Amino acid sequence: MKVLNLCGNSIDTVEKMKNIAQLLKNGTSQFIVLSAASTVSNHLDEIAANLFNREIERAHEQITKLEFQFIDFANCLLEDEILKQNAVNYIIERFQYIWKFTKNSFTAADEKDIMAQGELITSALLNSYLREQGVKSVFISAFDFMRINLDDKPDYEYLEKRINETLNINSDADLFISQGQICKNCYDETAYMKTGGSEYTSALIAKALHAEEIVIWKELFSDAKEAEEAKDASFTKNLIYSEAERLSHFNVEIVNPLCLCTAQEENIPIRLYNPLEQSDKGILISEYQDETTVKAVASKDSILYIKFESNNTLRPYLFISKIFDTFAKYQTSPCLLTSSSNNISIATDNKGYLSAILRELNRYAKIWVEDRMSIVSIIGNLKWQQPGAEARVMEALKDVPLRMIAYGSNYTDISMVIKASDKKRAMLALKGIISQTPIHRYNL
């Protein structure tokens, strides 16, 4: 079985939902996890805000508008009169639940009940269309199997037990349709997955079902902020888990870290597709290392470069300890660190306690600080047994002044600190080496 995660924007129109449904009709057993479209979620959020503020007339107007939008969607999507009427009846039932809040008091807890309706209605509509197309699909409410504990963490044992019971009862079904964000808390109240979202839910379901693959349909960096942060990144279509995880340190989150971690624990491959690109072959994240050494280049801005040169007040081992202890005291993590004899260089993006750190360490070292720096990282299969990539990196950057190089602390990247003004030409030079460095195989 495969677990598919559909972002709401991939099925937010009748045409998109029909196209996705055709892709799902491939004869394989699949568990579909979906979210509501962002426009629907925003609309429900406005309804909840108006109910909370007791702006009832405004709430009436918005509820009516969204209800008719869903009914029109069902009428355009479905042709079978029985399925169409059942879908419309379900929409009316869900909105009757919303309408009751216009007459009763409304609390912050009720807001979650309002927001849940978007996912429930969307998944019910997809299920209806699949059944119209002759697919044996089953609608499952996430409330029946997804629960979080007092720490807002998923109750995996409960999920595993309930979801397998549900699948056993519906053993003749081909597809199972459910939701990715909504769940119940330990008090049986409506709740939302606070961390990881629907991608994490998909990974937990995949783990419980021992799925062969997780397939995620999403628009990478569709959010303007994400796109801006990830604009200086380039990567191949095949990554191993650690390479994908390393990219997230550079704000290039191609998949949620909790989803990635769960999939890696169970060795479940993740495949990502862009729903707007029908010819997209996708990005595969797995344990399989393909015939490429350099997989990606990425960068991180607003970096501070600090060099400490010991004045020999402390012995070398105490000097190093003092540096580490001071950074730990002020909860400031280095992004990169290199050392040579009595000198230590650190790159960090946390400047909150910089003055206090430098004030404490000034008596033990001469200190040089440079602002407006960037970290550029080359990510891939960079184990010492695979020589060649380091030389290609250095050759590509032969005309770029380097302040610092970090390599060897892990097997996935070579990172360098450079001036922010040099970043653009460094990135252009490094992107040219992606997929061009073959793996050298050795018998060890």
Side-chain angles (χ1 to χ4, degrees), residues 375-431:
I375 293 176
V376 173
S377 188
I378 297 87
I379 299 168
N381 181 23
L382 302 170
K383 294 181 180 180
W384 64 268
Q385 298 98 327
Q386 316 290 357
E390 305 94 326
R392 292 178 65 85
V393 169
M394 292 300 104
E395 176 63 23
L397 296 178
K398 63 183 180 181
D399 297 323
V400 179
L402 307 180
R403 284 291 187 278
M404 181 175 168
I405 303 173
Y407 172 54
S409 59
N410 59 58
Y411 294 139
T412 57
D413 75 277
I414 304 171
S415 295
M416 289 146 293
V417 176
I418 62 176
K419 285 186 175 182
S421 57
D422 292 326
K423 187 186 73 171
K424 184 176 181 180
R425 60 188 176 121
M427 294 294 290
L428 288 173
L430 290 170
K431 287 179 182 180

Side-chain angles (χ1 to χ4, degrees), residues 318-350:
L318 292 175
F319 176 66
I320 293 173
S321 176
K322 188 65 179 179
I323 298 287
F324 290 167
D325 288 346
T326 305
F327 272 79
K329 175 182 176 180
Y330 291 99
Q331 300 179 3
T332 301
S333 298
C335 296
L336 297 178
L337 182 148
T338 61
S339 65
S340 176
S341 185
N342 288 342
N343 299 331
I344 294 178
S345 293
I346 289 176
T348 182
D349 59 353
N350 187 342

Side-chain angles (χ1 to χ4, degrees), residues 245-272:
E245 189 273 336
R246 187 60 184 157
L247 276 171
S248 68
H249 288 279
F250 296 90
N251 299 318
V252 187
E253 189 179 294
I254 57 179
V255 65
N256 181 273
L258 288 172
C259 172
L260 185 64
C261 180
T262 303
Q264 184 174 8
E265 287 175 358
E266 301 298 314
N267 192 22
I268 304 173
I270 302 174
R271 194 178 294 276
L272 296 98

